[in-house]
Amino acid sequence: MNSKPNEMDDILQFCVCANLRKVARVVTQLYDNQLQPTGLKVTQYSMLANIDRHKDISISQLGEIMLLDQTTVTRNLNLLKKSGYVRITKSNHDSRAKKISLTDIGYAKLEEAKPIWYQIQEKVVHDIGTDKYKDLLETLKKLQ
């Protein structure tokens, strides 16, 4: 491509993917920093919250909900299992499928992290503005 350096800078400056990824990293760091006292990353918090919300969920269902591939879900679940936060058992309906549930320790960890997560949520929504935040979510949903 024979574009001038300034033209390429302009193109990259407006790259939707690069900008969304950059913002996602900033937001992820914000959540991770605030959740640090709990020992959880925001991805782990989200996983625990989804497991709590969808009782006895399968690994593939969790991946679908979180838009993660099975390898990523399994890797993260193994970390949560190692910490004693989740239990992974065979499904009663299909011995090939595994179901995930929170342990008592996992539920306690989720409850410990929840107030921190809510504080971050409120700050981000407040800083963006409720209407702009709702508009942003609606706009992003169109890409799914």
Side-chain angles (χ1 to χ4, degrees), residues 44 74-85:
Q44 295 168 321
T74 301
R75 182 176 61 248
N76 283 287
L77 281 174
N78 285 335
L79 291 172
L80 294 173
K81 183 179 177 184
K82 185 177 177 182
S83 297
Y85 301 149

Side-chain angles (χ1 to χ4, degrees), residues 76-104:
N76 283 287
L77 281 174
N78 285 335
L79 291 172
L80 294 173
K81 183 179 177 184
K82 185 177 177 182
S83 297
Y85 301 149
V86 297
R87 178 181 309 106
I88 303 170
T89 57
K90 289 185 180 180
S91 170
N92 295 334
H93 305 294
D94 183 354
S95 61
R96 296 170 296 171
K98 295 178 182 175
K99 62 181 183 175
I100 312 154
S101 57
L102 292 182
T103 62
D104 290 342

Side-chain angles (χ1 to χ4, degrees), residues 8-140:
M8 184 55 76
D9 289 345
D10 289 344
I11 292 168
L12 292 175
Q13 178 182 353
F14 295 107
C15 176
V16 174
C17 183
N19 281 295
L20 287 175
R21 289 176 58 90
K22 188 186 309 181
V23 170
R25 283 191 298 274
V26 168
V27 172
T28 298
Q29 288 173 358
L30 173 67
Y31 278 79
D32 284 349
N33 289 339
Q34 294 299 311
L35 286 167
Q36 196 170 13
T38 69
L40 292 175
K41 301 280 189 186
V42 69
T43 50
Q44 295 168 321
Y45 173 85
S46 181
M47 202 165 267
L48 290 176
N50 275 296
I51 294 166
D52 184 47
R53 184 173 182 209
H54 307 279
K55 307 293 184 210
D56 292 328
I57 190 170
S58 73
I59 293 174
S60 60
Q61 289 170 325
L62 184 60
E64 288 172 18
I65 289 168
M66 296 185 70
L67 296 176
L68 297 171
D69 61 77
Q70 189 161 347
T71 303
T72 302
V73 173
T74 301
R75 182 176 61 248
N76 283 287
L77 281 174
N78 285 335
L79 291 172
L80 294 173
K81 183 179 177 184
K82 185 177 177 182
S83 297
Y85 301 149
V86 297
R87 178 181 309 106
I88 303 170
T89 57
K90 289 185 180 180
S91 170
N92 295 334
H93 305 294
D94 183 354
S95 61
R96 296 170 296 171
K98 295 178 182 175
K99 62 181 183 175
I100 312 154
S101 57
L102 292 182
T103 62
D104 290 342
I105 297 169
Y107 184 75
K109 182 57 71 174
L110 181 62
E111 290 304 305
E112 174 190 348
K114 209 177 276 188
I116 297 168
W117 182 85
Y118 276 115
Q119 286 176 342
I120 305 165
Q121 285 288 110
E122 288 176 2
K123 178 188 178 352
V124 171
V125 172
H126 177 267
D127 289 354
I128 293 173
T130 304
D131 290 338
K132 285 183 181 179
Y133 178 70
K134 287 178 183 177
D135 289 344
L136 174 64
L137 286 181
E138 288 304 312
T139 300
L140 293 174

